[in-house]
Amino acid sequence: MSDIISVLVVDDSALIRQLLTTILERDPDIHVVGTAPDAHKARELIKKLNPDVLTLDIEMPKMNGIEFLKKIMSLRPMPVLMVSSLTQAGADITFQALEIGAVDFVAKPQNDIQSSLEDMSEELISKVKIAAQARIKPYDADTFASIAPIDQKTHCISNRELIVMGASTGGVEALRCVLQALPADMPPILIVQHMPKQFTANFARRLDQLCQVTVVEAQDGMTVERGHVYIAPGDAHLTLEKAADGYHCCVADSGKVCGHMPSVDVLFASVVKLAADKTVAVMLSGMGKDGAEAMFQLKSNGAYTIGQDEKSCVVYGMPKAAFEKGAIDLQLDLKDIAGELVKQCCAPS
């Protein structure tokens, strides 16, 4: 790839194609080499122009974005950034796209499109640049179905009574791979995944359908229970609080930290004060350094810490930052993380 990131914009709306092109080309490191209104034209331009990144609409004529994405990721894997609506149906399809291999998504506004896209121009440019650096793997239809829960020949009782996880780009699929493999009787799991507020409830709902553990979007005051996973809402920080009857979720809007809300650093830091030596912390795929500092504090105070390794990350940013800071006890391939969690948190039967 050259220093300039070449982008092909695929959307059935001429207005969207024009707006995306204008926004992206404001950055001197990005060049939109072409646009296409449908999958047929996009396929021709991919062969002709060999772009570094594809922005792809979900709803298109002739062949929808999901079917086209499957063909791309099977025959010519490349970084794809989905452009998705904010509706529940749009969210569900977006998660399908991430499972197939899309790097990330931007939420397409439904009203006042021009002004709304302008407001999210920084996010769009950033995500295109991240996508250009991502590790892309071919789509395998059998991969999704192949994740089976770990055979629970253990009782999940040990001195490790809490799991916390942080993730960003590439984390949606990484979290599914880890959580889907876990047995039902795990310690409570608190998660920060960088994601817009319109998507976190749908993300929790989708994981809940796939996993043996119960997955919910965290709400303020929720009691933290075994066998449950709590996803931070997309517009607030999630922290852990202790009361007489046990641990609770605290959900609050207190401004961005490390450029994010929710922030991994905020969640991890809250655990340092309360239960570091009883915690396993996990850092999954993502761009940036969010969580590295607080993960180091967790490790320094007795937590066991795991980082996703470089070769299995879509973006080896957050795990790398934590590793280089000395915050990681063990780096593992994504497929091995669930097994390590069971090993750390469950005693032999």
Side-chain angles (χ1 to χ4, degrees):
M1 187 180 71
S2 66
D3 291 337
I4 303 298
I5 301 167
S6 60
V7 178
L8 177 63
V9 173
V10 185
D11 198 294
D12 65 339
S13 165
L15 174 61
I16 295 292
R17 295 197 301 273
Q18 178 186 355
L19 290 173
L20 291 179
T21 298
T22 300
I23 290 169
L24 291 174
E25 292 223 312
R26 288 178 190 154
D27 191 287
D29 296 327
I30 298 174
H31 175 47
V32 177
V33 292
T35 66
D38 55 49
H40 178 72
K41 181 64 175 178
R43 185 170 51 203
E44 293 178 359
L45 291 178
I46 289 171
K47 293 178 180 178
K48 178 181 178 181
L49 301 173
N50 192 32
D52 298 316
V53 177
L54 190 74
T55 71
L56 181 60
D57 185 19
I58 286 179
E59 296 182 1
M60 297 188 300
K62 300 181 182 178
M63 180 187 296
N64 67 44
I66 290 295
E67 292 305 313
F68 186 45
L69 181 64
K70 286 180 181 177
K71 292 183 179 297
I72 292 172
M73 302 311 293
S74 299
L75 302 174
R76 201 277 193 194
M78 63 182 297
V80 177
L81 181 66
M82 301 303 294
V83 181
S84 171
S85 73
L86 294 173
T87 63
Q88 179 172 333
D92 291 341
I93 294 172
T94 297
F95 296 134
Q96 291 180 39
L98 295 173
E99 289 159 6
I100 293 166
V103 174
D104 207 340
F105 66 94
V106 291
K108 181 193 289 187
Q110 300 300 294
N111 302 305
D112 194 9
I113 293 176
Q114 183 165 354
S115 176
S116 297
L117 278 177
E118 287 289 346
D119 291 342
M120 55 193 292
S121 59
E122 184 177 339
E123 176 192 5
L124 180 64
I125 289 169
S126 173
K127 288 189 173 184
V128 164
K129 290 184 173 182
I130 292 170
Q133 302 175 48
R135 291 173 179 80
I136 306 302
K137 299 178 181 179
Y139 170 64
D140 181 356
D142 295 329
T143 299
F144 183 84
S146 67
I147 299 176
I150 294 169
D151 187 14
Q152 191 173 358
K153 297 177 180 177
T154 58
H155 298 297
C156 289
I157 300 174
S158 77
N159 65 322
R160 302 294 183 181
E161 58 185 41
L162 181 71
I163 299 170
V164 291
M165 298 185 182
S168 189
T169 308
V172 169
E173 182 62 359
L175 284 167
R176 178 188 70 82
C177 290
V178 173
L179 296 179
Q180 197 173 353
L182 294 176
D185 187 28
M186 291 294 290
I189 302 172
L190 277 64
I191 295 174
V192 165
Q193 162 69 52
H194 298 156
M195 183 180 287
K197 64 181 180 179
Q198 298 91 342
F199 285 82
T200 44
N202 288 286
F203 181 45
R205 189 181 304 113
R206 183 168 180 81
L207 287 173
D208 187 56
Q209 294 170 349
L210 297 170
C211 301
Q212 290 200 11
V213 288
T214 298
V215 186
V216 298
E217 183 184 50
Q219 296 180 18
D220 192 47
M222 270 185 172
T223 301
V224 173
E225 301 178 78
R226 297 189 67 84
H228 285 66
V229 177
Y230 304 87
I231 305 288
D235 58 349
H237 292 299
L238 172 62
T239 56
L240 185 73
E241 289 192 339
K242 191 170 186 178
D245 60 345
Y247 294 114
H248 295 263
C249 293
C250 178
V251 175
D253 176 352
S254 54
K256 291 184 177 181
V257 174
C258 292
H260 299 284
M261 188 168 67
S263 163
V264 183
D265 257 322
V266 170
L267 171 60
F268 284 13
S270 72
V271 178
V272 172
K273 303 172 186 176
L274 299 177
D277 61 342
K278 300 175 181 178
T279 297
V280 180
V282 182
M283 192 73 79
L284 298 173
S285 176
M287 176 61 76
K289 299 180 179 180
D290 188 23
E293 175 59 38
M295 196 173 199
F296 178 76
Q297 295 301 322
L298 278 173
K299 182 176 182 293
S300 299
N301 285 275
Y304 183 73
T305 57
I306 301 169
Q308 185 177 350
D309 69 7
E310 182 173 7
K311 65 182 176 64
S312 67
C313 278
V314 173
V315 178
Y316 185 58
M318 287 161 56
K320 179 182 180 181
F323 178 75
E324 291 181 343
K325 193 169 184 63
I328 300 291
D329 283 311
L330 183 64
Q331 289 197 106
L332 289 173
D333 188 286
L334 177 62
K335 70 180 186 303
D336 298 321
I337 291 176
E340 183 66 18
L341 288 175
V342 170
K343 175 182 174 183
Q344 292 297 321
C345 297
C346 303
S349 56

